[in-house]
């Protein structure tokens, strides 16, 4: 008998939900806007979960959200985009849904989906980095998600990458996500546009489009524009250097790179690999990790958390 679970990924603007089978296939999915009020948000998640349970007889529900989730995976200690502070989310949702609810950090859930069904399905030890607005991280060690001593490990984007660096939304400065995210790519492209020389095309695109969005920069990268490629090289180099450090600590077999910037594929991975290899302790004398682009796209979070819910059910 096939076991179906519900996966729900709560984002800052949208809640995405779906019914997922034990092979990670989505049978049905939908989206609603994320309410600002936390009680309305919980009600929206409950309604979405109930509608799938009623139609598909799903046995459990997984819910992914950005934020620090405690070691018991019951309480959201802090969330960056939603007004949760020590929110007992598991209890609140289970009371409304009437099925077991598994809570997981959204980047962890996405990493788990890639590990189970995507780019990481052939390895046991994997690190995932998601290059979106920020940099999300997930660490899988020996086939298990690594949660750390307090439940909140794997925040790889908030590893301090440089001293006295750019301020970060987490309250620190110099975090990796300030140097290796989609937003960092936009900042670097803007700086190159301001500098003249190879930045002339970027500057022209900026005035034509009223700004340098990720899409505009990607188009220029794919067209081989030297300024846009230099912006990518800077961001990829930061990511690759950080991966060299992660290798020293965790020794994964594979790094999976996801998020909007990863849609560039090998154009991104090539400079990432170069920076990684030149940052490794003992390079040339040691085994190295592979790099792969994530395969499951925006659905990874809901697929991963649905699978985690199925394992606990
Ligand atoms: Zn930070």
């Amino acid at each position: 008998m096939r076991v179906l679970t519900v996966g729900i990924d709560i984002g800052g603007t949208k809640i995405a939900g779906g019914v997922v089978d034990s092979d990670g296939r989505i049978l049905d999915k939908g989206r609603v806007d994320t309410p600002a009020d936390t009680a309305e948000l919980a009600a929206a998640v409950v309604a979405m979960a109930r509608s799938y349970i009623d139609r598909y007889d799903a046995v459990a529900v997984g819910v992914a959200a950005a934020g620090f989730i405690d070691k018991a995976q019951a309480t959201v200690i802090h969330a960056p985009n939603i007004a949760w502070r020590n929110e007992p989310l598991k209890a609140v949702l289970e009371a409304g849904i009437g099925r077991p609810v598994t809570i997981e950090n959204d980047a962890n859930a996405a990493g788990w989906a890639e590990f189970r069904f995507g780019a990481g399905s052939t390895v046991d030890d994997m690190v995932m980095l998601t290059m979106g607005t920020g940099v999300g991280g997930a660490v899988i060690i020996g086939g298990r998600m690594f949660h750390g001593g307090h439940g909140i490990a794997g925040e790889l984007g908030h590893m301090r990458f440089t001293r006295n660096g750019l301020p970060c939304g987490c309250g620190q400065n110099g975090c990796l996500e300030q140097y290796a995210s989609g937003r960092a790519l936009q900042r670097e492209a803007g700086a190159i546009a301001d500098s003249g020389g190879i930045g002339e095309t970027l500057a022209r695109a900026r005035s034509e489009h009223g700004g340098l969005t990720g899409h505009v920069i990607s188009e220029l990268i794919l067209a081989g524009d030297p300024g846009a490629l230099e912006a990518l090289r800077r961001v990829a180099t930061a990511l690759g250097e950080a991966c060299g450090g992660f290798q020293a600590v965790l020794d994964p077999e594979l790094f999976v790179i996801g998020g909007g910037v990863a849609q560039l594929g090998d154009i991104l991975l090539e400079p990432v690999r170069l920076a990684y290899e030149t940052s490794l302790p003992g390079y040339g004398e040691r085994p190295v990790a592979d790099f792969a682009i994530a395969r499951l796209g925006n659905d990874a979070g809901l697929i991963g958390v649905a699978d985690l819910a199925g394992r606990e059910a």
Side-chain angles (χ1 to χ4, degrees):
M1 198 191 92
R2 66 178 188 168
V3 174
L4 302 180
T5 55
V6 176
I8 295 180
D9 190 354
I10 305 175
T13 57
K14 295 278 181 197
I15 303 172
V19 179
V20 181
D21 72 11
S22 48
D23 294 321
R25 280 187 295 250
I26 298 175
L27 307 184
D28 192 356
K29 67 174 175 175
R31 276 151 60 109
V32 295
D33 290 338
T34 307
D37 177 77
T38 55
E40 285 175 30
L41 194 161
V45 172
V46 167
M48 184 180 256
R50 287 257 32 127
S51 79
Y52 288 128
I53 289 167
D54 291 346
R55 278 179 285 154
Y56 293 92
D57 196 27
V59 297
V61 177
V63 176
F68 292 157
I69 294 162
D70 75 336
K71 197 170 186 182
Q73 290 183 270
T75 301
V76 182
I77 299 167
H78 171 94
N81 307 317
I82 293 161
W84 285 325
R85 299 294 178 267
N86 293 311
E87 171 76 13
L89 190 63
K90 181 182 172 75
V92 167
L93 295 178
E94 283 184 344
I97 293 170
R99 288 279 194 285
V101 174
T102 298
I103 310 283
E104 184 57 85
N105 170 274
D106 59 348
N108 283 355
W112 185 256
E114 292 294 340
F115 169 69
R116 290 274 291 142
F117 309 113
S121 62
T122 61
V123 302
D124 289 327
D125 293 85
M126 182 197 112
V127 167
M128 170 133 166
L129 291 150
T130 306
M131 301 172 79
T133 310
V135 171
V139 176
I140 289 154
I141 296 177
R144 296 169 63 112
M145 185 95 74
F146 181 62
H147 283 115
H150 306 94
I152 55 181
E155 293 284 342
L156 304 180
H158 296 290
M159 181 195 71
R160 291 185 80 185
F161 180 66
T162 184
R163 298 172 88 184
N164 306 314
L166 295 165
C168 183
C170 75
Q172 278 300 345
N173 61 67
C175 291
L176 177 63
E177 77 170 28
Q178 299 306 319
Y179 300 89
S181 58
R183 198 170 274 172
L185 179 64
Q186 288 176 276
R187 190 193 67 240
E188 293 293 357
I192 292 165
D194 291 338
S195 69
I198 61 166
E200 278 177 16
T201 312
L202 280 167
R204 210 161 39 239
R206 182 170 60 187
S207 54
E208 266 171 36
H209 297 279
L212 285 172
T213 61
H215 179 73
V216 169
I217 298 165
S218 290
E219 293 282 294
L220 288 175
I221 289 169
L222 293 171
D225 174 63
L229 283 169
E230 171 59 16
L232 181 68
R233 190 194 63 78
R234 292 179 189 178
V235 168
T237 299
L239 191 82
E241 287 179 0
C243 287
F246 297 141
Q247 191 73 42
V249 180
L250 299 166
D251 191 29
E253 297 165 86
L254 175 71
F255 288 95
V256 177
I257 313 297
V261 183
Q263 289 172 11
L264 291 163
D266 284 340
I267 305 176
L268 168 69
L269 289 190
E270 208 171 298
V272 168
R273 267 197 209 100
L274 182 65
Y276 160 78
E277 290 180 354
T278 51
S279 305
L280 280 173
Y283 178 60
E285 311 286 330
R286 60 170 295 155
V288 301
D290 290 326
F291 284 78
I293 297 292
R295 291 189 198 149
L296 301 173
N298 291 334
D299 293 328
L302 81 87
I303 294 171
V305 83
D307 185 66
L308 288 163
R311 296 163 82 85
E312 289 182 17

